[in-house]
């Protein structure tokens, strides 16, 4: 064995060793360049190597060996004297053993660069992994033994940066080469079947035909004499038997699936449509949904049912791969003329397939996503010279899809517009994400069923039933080992968006995807987005914006680009309707605004249509909203983040959503309900710019206002607190916008009975608004009214009345007698009179408020119902039971219908009706309602909420009236204790309930 020895100071020498005296050494694995670029044995011995490109590889190997404390290394280009056939034969027969005995094998990948790493490490990582997957090193014949034989294999970029070792990259190498991971980890090759080892070498190439066999000598542990240059004996070609070119093995874990629209499974639909003569069928769906897997399974099933049917597989992702697929078909069928470089390979294959004497066949065009593959002429694609004349050269590739009664074409595509150019709409099969049942079944198979079914169902749900994501997740869990559970994966996935991206970027687990395709669903989507951005920037902009919305129910009117923002940059559109000045007439100078609006709508529809064609989005069931898959949104957001565009689109999203999100008033509830999920999505995507933070915080405040009105006080508190904090940091504590969020936050405290906290904020809000907006500004008056309401709830009637009179009189003067806020102020004052026992004064105001609200706001408006409830309470306290009951029943039933059974206002109206029954001595009816109100309040509002406490007191009074003293005393004692702690020892309710309890106990 001849080795290169590092003599120091840049000097190298060639030294020959015999087996028992060979020192420790490293080997270089690489792909050969042009013959005149590589350093040969002669160059090294005579010192004529200094100017050759191959010097870089030799120097790299020397430095790396030195770093590993190795003085000797072996390089195939210069350690073998190839002019000696005897030496060459001995070296080739010994080479596998030489690689086995090396301390290190350095794989130098000249076509993989890490140059951009310093500029953008995240982008560079994706780039070198892409180049690593495509490296020609994995396609060379000799590198198979160089990958498998050594104990240690390390991979380096052309800059000399270490990319990893065979062990750390074994999953990626397995995905690229199909070599079993066990073989990569050192399992003896004799334990693998001959056909498996042949499969590893099947798609590898060598410069010389004979080397395809010689490069496998070590793989099969055989030796033989070498003979180069002997011309093979020409044998007449025989007609081959029907076979399959599907490059993927059958998936034993395959799960067929049903759709909600059809009774048959997807495979049954494919089989049914493919049975007709000259059938053309398309599987259309988003990336990662399993179209290719369905096609693979159908191919294997077809071969089982019909062994005499040819099955051809063409990867049609680009023009070059399509031509390569046609050439492989020609080789498999031994079509005459296929080796003639001047022949039109597309015409040859098409003609052969149209010959019905050749038998039945299925042609699969996989990943036919790009319209250019169909529209580009075959001359452009292959540069072939045809004898058919110019007309033949201009024919597009779609013209070479054969029409034959004995043949079927099945395509998979994510682009519906491509499918419709070849397939009748009735023969297009939509492939959607799996159902939860099917997705769970797939997970069970991939994980060998050794896990909790409930966890599997939850994992399938959070992965949104996407097959590629499911396979990724299963591979990750399996790779982690027995101690890593599905539950741990779920917890990690739900931790944050960064963790989701990391898990969905895991590139492993799928052996049935094209080598150029990505197993990471995130990267796969981002590659698709790059295509959209290059071709149709306006569509890419819309997709960028939509990625921040909730995935469902995205309103068309919110995302529609305004005319002044519209920039349709489609190069085709720019070349249409270019009319020269002398062709215009005077009418051309006039602009029709209606036409302009129509054009704006048309352009938006074009933008949408492109995204629909690529399956990036879909139309909602209502026909008016859009939907996106959650994984698509995540991939989109990560792309924007990686390219420094996320802040721009977060800001635009916040601005657009804030512009349309209304206040939480009752009349806006319908629109609020539609937009609320998008406000929740906005909460997770806070922009950094202060101007955009203002929009973001306003969205949260209005969303909080809406849920406050709906009775979800804890959620309202959370949203308003976050809004107030953001505005305080961005604008300052004295800004009016900050005071609006603080005011709503105080209202959430008040509705939870946290009067002290509410009062503290309300005083601050009122003083800020008086100073900034003025004494009589409507918002200032609202702040004063809120503070008065807090005093009222604390039993501080005189303080409340003073403010309420001032607010009411000012509103009457400034806003008008019938303004809703004026009526609210009047209602608040009436409530204060009511609590002071001033029934006549209260009733007078309440009747006026109720009648005005019915006329101005409507019969079922929440404020109208509140006014009616207040009037009924006044009647009840005056002993006018029948009048009170009539109104209370109407209010309760309306609130149940409009607000819901468990809304706090509904519970309040039920409690009022029970009080009326109690005052009439209708104890059983009262108790039934009071028990329901108390239990619901405890569950919905919490055990210490003031309304819950009131329901306890009411039930205790009903019990005492029914003579159930023991139950009444126990319940009232609990109420008094809670009331003192929650409301304070001096609160009127605490004092009156304590007195009642003392009286009951003394009587007992």
């Amino acid at each position: 064995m001849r080795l290169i020895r590092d003599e120091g100071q840049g000097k190298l020498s060639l030294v020959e060793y015999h087996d028992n005296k060979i020192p420790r050494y490293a080997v270089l694995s690489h792909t050969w360049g042009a013959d005149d670029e590589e350093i040969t044995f002669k160059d090294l011995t005579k010192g004529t190597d200094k100017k050759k490109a191959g010097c870089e590889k030799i120097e790299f190997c020397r430095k790396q060996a030195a770093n590993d404390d190795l003085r000797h290394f072996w390089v195939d280009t210069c350690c073998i004297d190839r002019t000696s056939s005897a030496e060459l034969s001995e070296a080739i027969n010994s080479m596998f053993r030489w690689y086995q005995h090396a301390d290190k094998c350095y794989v130098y990948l000249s076509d993989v660069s890490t140059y951009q790493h310093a500029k953008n490490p995240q982008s560079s990582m994706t780039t070198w992994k892409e180049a690593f997957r495509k490296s020609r090193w994995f396609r060379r014949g000799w590198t198979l033994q160089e990958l498998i034989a050594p104990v240690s294999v390390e991979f380096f970029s052309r800059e000399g940066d270490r990319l990893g070792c065979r062990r750390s990259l074994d999953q990626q190498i397995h995905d690229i080469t199909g070599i079993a991971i066990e073989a990569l980890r050192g399992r003896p090759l004799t334990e693998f079947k001959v056909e498996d080892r042949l499969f590893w070498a099947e798609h590898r190439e060598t410069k010389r035909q004979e080397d395809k066999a010689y490069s496998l000598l070590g793989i099969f542990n055989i030796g033989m004499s070498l003979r180069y240059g002997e011309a093979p004996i020409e044998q007449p070609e025989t007609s081959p038997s029907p076979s399959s070119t599907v490059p993927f093995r059958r998936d034993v874990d395959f799960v067929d699936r049903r759709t909600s629209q059809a009774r048959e499974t997807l495979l049954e639909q494919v089989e049914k449509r493919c049975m007709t003569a000259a059938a053309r069928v398309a599987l259309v769906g988003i990336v990662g949904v399993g179209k290719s897997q369905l096609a693979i399974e159908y191919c294997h099933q077809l071969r089982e049912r019909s062994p005499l049917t040819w099955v051809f597989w063409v990867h049609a992702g680009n023009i070059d791969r399509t031509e390569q697929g046609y050439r492989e078909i020609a080789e498999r069928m031994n079509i005459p003329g296929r080796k003639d470089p001047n022949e039109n390979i597309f015409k040859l294959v098409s003609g052969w397939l149209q010959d019905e004497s050749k038998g039945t066949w299925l042609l699969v065009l996989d990943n036919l996503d790009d319209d250019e593959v169909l529209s580009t002429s075959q001359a452009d694609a292959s540069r072939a010279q045809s004898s058919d004349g110019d007309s033949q050269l201009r024919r597009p590739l779609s013209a070479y899809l054969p029409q034959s009664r004995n043949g079927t074409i099945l395509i998979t595509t994510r682009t519906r517009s491509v499918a419709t150019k070849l397939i009748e709409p009735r023969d297009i099969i939509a492939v959607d994400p799996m159902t939860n049942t099917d997705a769970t079944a797939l997970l069970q198979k991939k994980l060998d069923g050794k896990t909790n079914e409930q966890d599997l169902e939850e994992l399938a749900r959070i992965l949104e039933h996407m097959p590629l994501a499911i396979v990724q997740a299963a591979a990750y869990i399996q790779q982690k080992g027995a101690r890593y559970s599905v539950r741990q994966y779920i917890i990690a996935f739900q931790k944050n968006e960064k963790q989701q991206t990391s898990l969905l970027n895991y590139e492993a687990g799928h052996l049935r995807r094209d080598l150029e395709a990505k197993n990471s669903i995130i990267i796969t989507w981002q590659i698709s987005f790059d295509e959209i951005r290059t071709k149709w920037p306006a569509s890419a902009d819309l997709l960028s914006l939509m990625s921040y919305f909730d995935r469902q129910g995205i309103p068309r009117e919110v995302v529609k680009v305004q005319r002044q923002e519209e920039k349709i940059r489609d190069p085709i559109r720019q070349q249409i309707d270019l009319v020269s000045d002398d062709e215009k007439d005077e009418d051309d100078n006039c602009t029709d605004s209606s036409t302009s609006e129509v054009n704006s709508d048309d352009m938006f529809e074009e933008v949408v249509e492109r995204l629909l064609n690529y399956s990036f989005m879909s139309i909602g069931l209502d026909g008016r909203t859009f939907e996106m898959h959650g994984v698509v949104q995540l991939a989109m957001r990560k792309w924007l983040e990686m390219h420094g565009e996320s802040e721009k689109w977060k800001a635009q999203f916040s601005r657009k959503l804030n512009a349309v999100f209304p206040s939480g008033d009752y009349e806006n509830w319908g629109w609020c309900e539609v937009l609320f999920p998008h406000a929740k999505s906005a909460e997770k995507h806070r922009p950094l710019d202060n101007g955009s933070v203002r929009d973001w915080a306003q969205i949260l405040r209005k969303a909080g206002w809406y849920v406050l009105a709906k009775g979800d006080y804890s959620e309202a508190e959370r949203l308003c607190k976050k809004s107030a904090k953001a505005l305080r940091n961005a604008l300052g504590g004295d800004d009016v916008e900050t005071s609006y969020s603080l005011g709503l936050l105080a209202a959430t405290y008040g509705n939870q009975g946290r009067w002290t906290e509410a009062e503290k904020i309300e005083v601050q809000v009122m003083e800020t608004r008086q100073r900034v907006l003025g004494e009589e500004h409507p918002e200032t008056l609202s702040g004063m009214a809120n503070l008065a309401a807090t005093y009222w709830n604390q039993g501080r009637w005189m303080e409340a009345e003073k403010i309420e009179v001032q607010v009411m009189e000012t509103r009457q003067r400034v806003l008008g007698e019938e303004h809703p806020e004026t009526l609210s102020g009047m209602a608040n004052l009436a409530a204060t009179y009511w609590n002071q026992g001033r029934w006549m004064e209260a009733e007078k105001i309440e009747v006026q408020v109720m009648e005005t609200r019915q006329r101005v706001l409507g019969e079922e408006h929440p404020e109208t119902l509140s006014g009616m409830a207040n009037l009924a309470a006044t009647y009840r306290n005056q002993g006018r039971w029948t009048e009170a009951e009539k109104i209370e029943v109407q209010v309760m039933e309306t609130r149940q219908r409009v607000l819901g059974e468990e809304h706090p206002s509904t519970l309040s109206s039920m409690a009022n009706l029970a009080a009326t029954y109690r005052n009439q001595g209708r104890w059983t009816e009262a108790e039934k309602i009071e028990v329901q109100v108390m239990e619901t309040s405890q569950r919905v509002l919490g055990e210490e909420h003031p309304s819950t406490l009131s329901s306890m007191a009411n039930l205790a009074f009903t019990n005492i009236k029914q003579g159930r003293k023991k139950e009444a005393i126990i319940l009232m004692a609990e109420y008094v204790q809670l009331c003192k702690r929650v409301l304070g020892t001096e609160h009127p309710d605490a004092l009156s309930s304590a007195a009642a309890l003392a009286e009951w106990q003394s009587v007992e």
Side-chain angles (χ1 to χ4, degrees):
M1 181 182 190
R2 192 179 289 112
L3 294 173
I4 302 173
R5 185 167 66 194
D6 184 0
E7 304 291 357
Q9 297 181 340
K11 185 178 179 181
L12 301 177
S13 63
L14 278 171
V15 184
E16 190 169 337
Y17 294 96
H18 296 286
D19 286 351
N20 59 343
K21 294 183 180 180
I22 296 176
R24 294 171 58 228
Y25 63 93
V27 294
L28 176 68
S29 176
H30 64 111
T31 55
W32 284 41
D35 289 341
D36 59 354
E37 292 180 353
E38 297 296 340
I39 306 300
T40 65
F41 173 77
K42 180 180 178 181
D43 291 329
L44 205 57
T45 54
K46 293 189 176 182
T48 59
D49 59 328
K50 304 304 182 185
K51 294 183 180 181
K52 286 192 173 183
C55 282
E56 293 181 10
K57 290 188 281 189
I58 304 295
E59 178 61 14
F60 157 78
C61 190
R62 183 195 68 78
K63 287 182 178 179
Q64 196 57 45
N67 289 340
D68 290 326
D69 199 26
L70 296 171
R71 188 181 177 188
H72 296 80
F73 56 98
W74 185 87
V75 182
D76 57 357
T77 58
C78 52
C79 288
I80 304 171
D81 183 359
R82 295 178 178 273
T83 62
S84 167
S85 59
E87 181 175 334
L88 179 61
S89 179
E90 181 184 359
I92 288 178
N93 278 277
S94 304
M95 205 173 289
F96 190 88
R97 178 166 47 86
W98 290 349
Y99 279 104
Q100 275 184 316
H101 294 165
D103 279 37
K104 295 277 186 178
C105 174
Y106 307 130
V107 178
Y108 180 81
L109 301 175
S110 58
D111 53 356
V112 177
S113 174
T114 51
Y115 176 72
Q116 294 294 331
H117 185 75
K119 298 181 179 179
N120 189 341
Q122 186 176 3
S123 176
S124 173
M125 183 67 71
T126 302
T127 303
W128 81 249
K129 283 190 174 183
E130 172 82 7
F132 182 79
R133 176 179 286 274
K134 294 182 177 180
S135 176
R136 62 180 176 272
W137 188 87
F138 291 108
R139 301 193 298 272
R140 304 303 297 168
W142 288 105
T143 57
L144 176 60
Q145 65 177 359
E146 295 163 18
L147 172 62
I148 293 177
V151 175
S152 172
V153 180
E154 298 181 1
F155 294 86
F156 296 85
S157 71
R158 68 166 172 254
E159 292 83 11
D161 294 325
R162 188 177 185 274
L163 306 176
C165 65
R166 184 178 61 197
R167 182 65 181 83
S168 66
L169 296 169
D170 60 4
Q171 187 63 57
Q172 291 94 317
I173 296 170
H174 166 71
D175 293 343
I176 296 167
T177 64
I179 299 173
I181 288 181
E182 293 86 349
L184 296 173
R185 294 180 180 178
R187 183 176 168 185
L189 293 179
T190 53
E191 296 182 17
F192 294 91
K193 296 179 180 178
V194 170
E195 54 264 35
D196 288 335
R197 285 178 274 173
L198 286 172
F199 172 74
W200 301 342
E202 186 175 354
H203 298 291
R204 291 175 177 265
E205 301 170 351
T206 56
K207 282 187 177 180
R208 303 187 67 170
Q209 184 178 352
E210 297 88 344
D211 284 340
K212 291 202 74 171
Y214 299 154
S215 64
L216 298 178
L217 295 180
I219 299 295
F220 291 97
N221 193 27
I222 57 177
M224 63 183 295
S225 299
L226 275 58
R227 294 184 179 182
Y228 285 102
E230 291 187 357
I233 300 173
E234 288 289 339
Q235 298 288 340
E237 291 187 327
T238 59
S239 298
S241 300
S243 60
S244 169
T245 66
V246 177
F248 309 106
R249 297 181 182 180
R250 194 168 187 176
D251 186 2
V252 295
D253 298 329
F254 177 82
V255 174
D256 197 3
R257 37 185 155 150
R258 295 187 181 276
T259 63
S260 57
Q261 295 82 12
R263 287 178 296 178
E264 304 108 329
T265 66
L266 287 176
L267 269 180
E268 288 170 345
Q269 292 180 54
V270 173
E271 182 179 0
K272 181 178 179 181
R273 286 168 170 79
C274 288
M275 285 176 62
T276 60
R280 289 190 176 190
V281 180
L283 296 173
V284 179
I286 59 178
V287 173
V289 81
K291 304 180 295 296
S292 297
Q293 310 314 308
L294 284 163
I296 292 167
E297 179 63 20
Y298 176 70
C299 289
H300 285 290
Q301 288 191 11
L302 178 63
R303 284 287 298 165
E304 276 187 353
R305 291 194 306 269
S306 179
L308 297 179
T309 296
W310 289 92
V311 176
F312 304 115
W313 188 279
V314 174
H315 181 89
N318 57 53
I319 298 168
D320 292 336
R321 291 295 301 277
T322 305
E323 180 181 352
Q324 178 186 341
Y326 268 68
R327 290 195 180 280
E328 289 174 358
I329 293 173
E331 284 292 334
R332 181 63 65 96
M333 297 184 299
N334 292 339
I335 298 178
R338 66 188 181 279
K339 296 181 180 179
D340 184 347
N342 295 321
E343 277 288 355
N344 180 338
I345 195 67
F346 298 99
K347 182 182 177 184
L348 282 177
V349 171
S350 179
W352 192 96
L353 292 175
Q354 291 186 77
D355 183 351
E356 295 182 10
S357 67
K358 304 300 184 183
T360 57
W361 51 265
L362 168 69
L363 172 62
V364 178
L365 300 175
D366 188 37
N367 293 331
L368 182 58
D369 301 322
D370 192 346
D371 182 57
E372 290 184 5
V373 175
L374 297 176
S375 58
T376 302
S377 72
Q378 64 86 22
D380 292 335
S382 63
R383 298 180 181 87
Q385 296 299 316
S386 171
S387 59
D388 294 339
D390 292 341
S391 61
Q392 286 286 355
L393 288 176
R394 288 194 294 270
R395 295 183 70 188
L397 292 176
S398 58
Y400 296 101
L401 296 179
Q403 296 277 7
S404 174
R405 290 187 307 165
N406 59 319
T408 299
I409 296 176
L410 174 64
I411 74 170
T412 72
T413 179
R414 67 171 185 262
T415 314
R416 190 174 184 86
S417 60
V418 169
T420 55
K421 291 185 177 181
L422 300 174
I423 313 293
E424 293 289 343
R426 64 175 177 272
D427 290 323
I428 293 176
I429 300 173
V431 183
D432 297 317
M434 306 178 92
T435 64
N436 194 63
T437 300
D438 293 336
T440 303
L442 179 59
L443 272 171
Q444 284 177 324
K445 286 191 171 186
K446 290 296 180 185
L447 296 173
D448 300 323
K450 299 175 182 178
T451 191
N452 180 283
E453 186 169 349
Q454 188 174 351
D455 287 346
L456 289 177
E457 289 181 357
E458 184 176 353
L459 179 56
R461 179 182 54 77
I462 66 173
L463 294 176
E464 301 187 41
H465 311 121
M466 286 291 285
L468 180 55
I470 288 170
V471 172
Q472 272 183 260
Y476 183 89
I477 293 167
Q478 292 279 51
Q479 186 269 337
K480 281 288 189 177
R483 292 195 296 175
Y484 192 85
S485 67
V486 172
R487 174 52 51 185
Q488 287 174 290
Y489 186 97
I490 292 171
I491 293 170
F493 190 90
Q494 293 177 328
K495 188 175 181 181
N496 53 48
E497 195 166 283
K498 182 178 180 181
Q499 188 70 15
Q500 290 175 14
T501 306
S502 174
L503 291 171
L504 292 177
N505 262 333
Y506 182 68
E507 281 211 73
H510 222 312
L511 306 182
R512 293 161 189 85
R513 285 172 64 78
D514 187 78
L515 291 180
E516 292 186 7
K518 294 297 181 182
N519 286 336
S520 160
I521 195 165
I522 292 287
I523 297 175
T524 300
W525 273 109
Q526 289 175 345
I527 291 171
S528 299
F529 177 72
D530 282 332
E531 295 175 20
I532 290 280
R533 196 154 201 57
T534 301
K535 294 180 178 179
W536 305 298
S539 295
D541 287 350
L542 178 59
L543 197 64
S544 301
L545 175 63
M546 289 174 59
S547 68
Y548 290 97
F549 282 81
D550 183 75
R551 62 174 295 265
Q552 293 180 313
I554 303 173
R556 179 184 294 261
E557 54 268 44
V558 178
V559 297
K560 184 175 179 180
V561 185
Q562 300 299 318
R563 270 185 297 168
Q564 60 268 29
E565 296 174 344
E566 262 175 359
K567 295 179 181 178
I568 305 296
R569 291 165 284 179
D570 189 333
I572 298 176
R573 171 171 292 280
Q574 293 171 4
Q575 297 175 33
I576 295 177
D577 298 332
L578 296 178
V579 183
S580 59
D581 290 340
D582 58 347
E583 293 177 303
K584 296 180 181 179
D585 58 33
E586 294 179 0
D587 292 334
D588 289 329
N589 295 320
C590 301
T591 301
D592 184 344
S593 61
S594 64
T595 302
S596 177
E597 188 63 44
V598 169
N599 288 340
S600 172
D601 290 340
D602 289 345
M603 285 190 284
F604 179 71
E605 293 306 321
E606 285 183 23
V607 168
V608 169
E609 188 63 30
R610 288 165 184 158
L611 296 180
L612 292 174
N613 277 332
Y614 268 72
S615 301
F616 271 108
M617 57 183 265
S618 59
I619 303 294
L621 294 176
D622 57 11
R624 301 188 309 274
T625 58
F626 301 128
E627 293 183 1
M628 285 182 71
H629 200 282
V631 177
V632 179
Q633 290 182 303
L634 178 61
M636 187 70 260
R637 291 194 297 269
K638 288 300 138 183
W639 188 98
L640 294 171
E641 181 181 317
M642 192 166 63
H643 290 79
E645 294 189 28
S646 58
E647 287 304 314
K648 165 189 170 183
W649 290 106
K650 283 182 189 177
Q652 188 167 147
F653 166 60
S654 296
R655 183 169 64 252
K656 283 183 172 292
L657 184 58
N658 185 41
V660 297
F661 205 113
S663 67
D665 291 323
Y666 171 73
E667 56 269 20
N668 298 325
W669 282 9
W671 193 221
C672 286
E673 183 179 5
V674 170
L675 296 177
F676 184 72
H678 306 299
K680 293 283 287 182
S681 181
E683 183 185 358
K684 295 181 288 189
H685 303 296
R686 175 179 171 172
L688 298 177
D689 174 68
N690 279 349
S692 301
V693 165
R694 183 184 188 122
D695 287 315
W696 180 83
Q698 287 176 346
I699 293 169
L700 266 57
R701 180 176 70 231
K702 289 183 279 192
W705 185 347
Y706 167 63
V707 292
L708 173 65
K710 296 285 284 184
D712 190 347
Y713 301 139
S714 58
E715 177 68 358
E717 176 189 346
R718 193 184 65 78
L719 291 169
C720 293
K721 188 179 288 184
K722 190 172 283 190
S723 172
K725 182 178 180 181
L727 288 169
R728 187 187 291 114
N729 291 338
L731 307 177
D734 286 339
D735 191 271
V736 175
E737 281 294 330
T738 307
S739 81
Y740 294 157
S741 294
L742 286 171
L744 266 178
L745 177 60
T748 69
Y749 290 154
N751 278 280
Q752 296 175 80
R754 295 155 61 182
W755 314 122
T756 304
E757 294 171 88
E759 179 187 354
K760 181 179 179 181
I761 294 176
E762 286 165 348
V763 169
Q764 175 190 343
V765 167
M766 182 183 70
E767 291 175 349
T768 299
R769 291 179 183 176
Q770 286 174 334
R771 184 174 63 255
V772 177
L773 300 176
E775 297 280 347
E776 296 189 349
H777 192 280
E779 295 297 337
T780 304
L781 297 175
S782 293
M784 294 171 65
N786 293 336
L787 179 60
T790 298
Y791 288 158
W792 183 89
N793 282 296
Q794 291 174 298
R796 296 157 64 180
W797 317 121
M798 299 303 294
E799 294 170 90
E801 180 182 354
K802 181 180 178 181
I803 296 176
E804 287 166 348
V805 169
Q806 180 184 351
V807 168
M808 182 186 71
E809 292 176 348
T810 306
R811 281 177 170 170
Q812 287 174 331
R813 186 178 72 255
V814 175
L815 302 178
E817 296 280 346
E818 296 189 349
H819 192 280
E821 292 188 12
T822 303
L823 298 175
S824 294
M826 294 171 66
N828 292 339
L829 179 59
T832 301
Y833 288 159
W834 184 89
N835 277 284
Q836 292 175 292
R838 296 157 65 179
W839 313 119
M840 299 303 294
E841 295 171 89
E843 180 183 352
K844 181 180 179 181
I845 296 175
E846 286 166 349
V847 169
Q848 181 184 351
V849 168
M850 182 186 72
E851 292 176 347
T852 306
R853 281 177 170 168
Q854 286 175 330
R855 187 178 70 255
V856 175
L857 301 178
E859 296 279 347
E860 296 188 349
H861 193 283
E863 294 295 331
T864 304
L865 298 175
S866 294
M868 294 171 67
N870 292 339
L871 180 59
T874 300
Y875 288 159
R876 185 174 63 249
N877 281 282
Q878 291 177 288
R880 297 157 65 178
W881 314 122
T882 304
E883 295 171 90
E885 180 183 351
K886 181 180 178 182
I887 296 175
E888 286 166 348
V889 169
Q890 180 183 352
V891 169
M892 181 185 71
E893 292 177 348
T894 305
R895 281 178 169 169
Q896 286 174 332
R897 187 178 69 255
V898 175
L899 303 178
E901 297 278 347
E902 296 187 348
H903 191 281
S905 295
T906 304
L907 298 175
S908 175
S909 61
M910 293 171 67
N912 291 338
L913 180 60
T916 299
Y917 288 158
R918 188 172 61 247
N919 282 290
Q920 291 176 288
R922 296 158 65 180
W923 313 119
T924 304
E925 294 171 271
E927 180 183 3
K928 182 179 179 181
I929 295 176
E930 287 167 349
V931 169
Q932 182 182 352
V933 169
M934 183 180 73
E935 291 176 350
T936 306
S937 297
Q938 288 173 333
R939 187 180 71 255
V940 175
L941 302 176
E943 295 197 353
E944 296 188 355
H945 191 280
S947 295
T948 305
L949 301 181
S950 295
S951 67
M952 293 171 64
N954 293 337
L955 183 56
F957 277 110
T958 300
N959 287 338
I960 201 73
K961 290 295 184 180
Q962 295 182 87
R964 290 149 59 183
K965 290 184 181 179
K966 186 175 181 180
E967 294 176 56
I969 289 173
I970 292 173
L971 190 57
M972 183 59 81
E974 183 182 356
Y975 167 75
V976 170
Q977 185 179 0
L978 289 170
C979 193
K980 287 180 178 179
R981 186 170 76 246
V982 175
L983 303 179
T985 56
E986 299 303 316
H987 192 279
D989 290 348
L991 297 174
S992 62
S993 60
L997 177 62
E999 181 183 345
W1000 296 351
Q1001 289 171 333
S1002 64
V1003 171
E1004 186 180 29

